[in-house]
């Protein structure tokens, strides 16, 4: 089973996903610890009713059909509609990793509740900005989430981690807690050195 959080890591970086969820490598730096502390209250199972909204905290979900499982931070009932909520440290991100994690939880919920209409949206709450971002479960996001699940299952069968991120996406490495294990700059330098060696060898073979 692929944890919901693993889909988040995979969208951020396939190499990070491999280290965390295939090789079980984990480093707790200041940012990770801050996130864990902020999450403590959310991680306590509870049921609330506030301003006309009922909320269940820490709900376990699993789907054998989709091969995903994990905890949903909160499920709200608002005007007769169910709305999943995921809590995150920091501010709204520039990538879809949080959206995919939330959508996977929605797909699980829909499997539990086939008699209800498909969920239209959920919320990402960011502690850094104290704001909620509404996430629409559009067909494109649903399809990308399903593709992420299949990619996670395929990568988990690989004997080695994927290569480090390249190009513009490589700037994500500076914010990654697994940087000391991943060593992306060193790996990229070795790859470039090997490619130059192969090119020289090909030229010599011509002569």
């Amino acid at each position: 089973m692929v944890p919901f959080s693993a889909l988040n890591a995979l969208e951020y970086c396939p190499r990070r996903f491999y280290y965390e969820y295939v090789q079980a490598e984990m480093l707790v730096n200041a940012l990770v610890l801050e996130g864990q502390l902020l999450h403590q209250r959310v991680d306590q199972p509870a049921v609330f009713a506030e301003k006309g909204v009922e909320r269940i905290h820490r709900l376990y979900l699993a789907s054998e059909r989709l091969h995903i499982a994990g905890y949903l931070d909160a499920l709200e009932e608002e005007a007769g509609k169910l709305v999943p909520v995921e809590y995150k440290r920091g501010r709204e991100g520039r990538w879809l990793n949080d959206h995919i994690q939330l959508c996977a939880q929605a797909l699980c919920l829909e499997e539990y509740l086939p008699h209800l209409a498909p969920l239209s949206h959920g919320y990402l709450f960011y502690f850094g900005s104290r704001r909620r971002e509404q996430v629409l479960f559009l067909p494109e996001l649903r399809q990308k989430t399903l593709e992420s699940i299949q990619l996670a299952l395929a990568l988990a069968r690989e004997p080695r981690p994927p290569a480090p991120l390249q190009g513009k996406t490589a700037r994500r490495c500076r914010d990654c807690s697994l940087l000391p294990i991943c060593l992306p700059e060193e790996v990229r330098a070795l790859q470039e050195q090997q490619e130059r060696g192969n090119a020289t060898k090909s030229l010599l073979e011509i002569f």
Side-chain angles (χ1 to χ4, degrees), residues 38-52:
L38 288 169
H39 231 272
Q40 281 184 343
R41 182 171 178 268
V42 179
D43 288 340
Q44 299 298 317
V47 179
F48 297 97
E50 186 178 25
K51 298 180 180 177

Side-chain angles (χ1 to χ4, degrees), residues 3 8 26 50 56 73 79 83 88 91 99 104-107 112 127 131 133 142 158 160 167 169 180 185 197 205 207:
N8 191 315
M26 183 72 179
E50 186 178 25
I56 302 173
D73 285 342
V83 182
K88 294 294 180 187
R91 298 174 179 273
H99 298 67
Q105 295 163 349
L107 294 175
Y112 275 80
F127 287 105
R131 292 183 58 186
E133 177 186 352
R142 290 171 178 268
E158 293 293 327
R160 289 184 293 276
T169 58
E185 290 188 11
E205 287 174 350
F207 294 99

Side-chain angles (χ1 to χ4, degrees), residues 4 6 12 40 61 93 98 162 203 205:
F4 297 136
Y12 189 83
Q40 281 184 343
L61 302 170
D98 295 340
L203 285 172
E205 287 174 350

Side-chain angles (χ1 to χ4, degrees), residues 103-155:
C103 186
Q105 295 163 349
L107 294 175
C108 254
L109 276 171
E110 290 174 353
E111 191 169 302
Y112 275 80
L113 305 164
H115 56 288
L116 299 181
L119 303 183
S120 61
H121 67 280
Y123 291 111
L124 294 169
F125 176 83
Y126 290 94
F127 287 105
S129 61
R130 308 296 297 177
R131 292 183 58 186
R132 274 188 171 197
E133 177 186 352
Q134 187 186 60
V135 177
L136 300 177
F137 300 132
L138 298 174
E140 294 81 3
L141 180 58
R142 290 171 178 268
Q143 181 60 34
K144 187 164 182 57
T145 302
L146 294 174
E147 291 171 357
S148 293
I149 296 168
Q150 293 307 310
L151 178 58
L153 293 171
L155 285 179

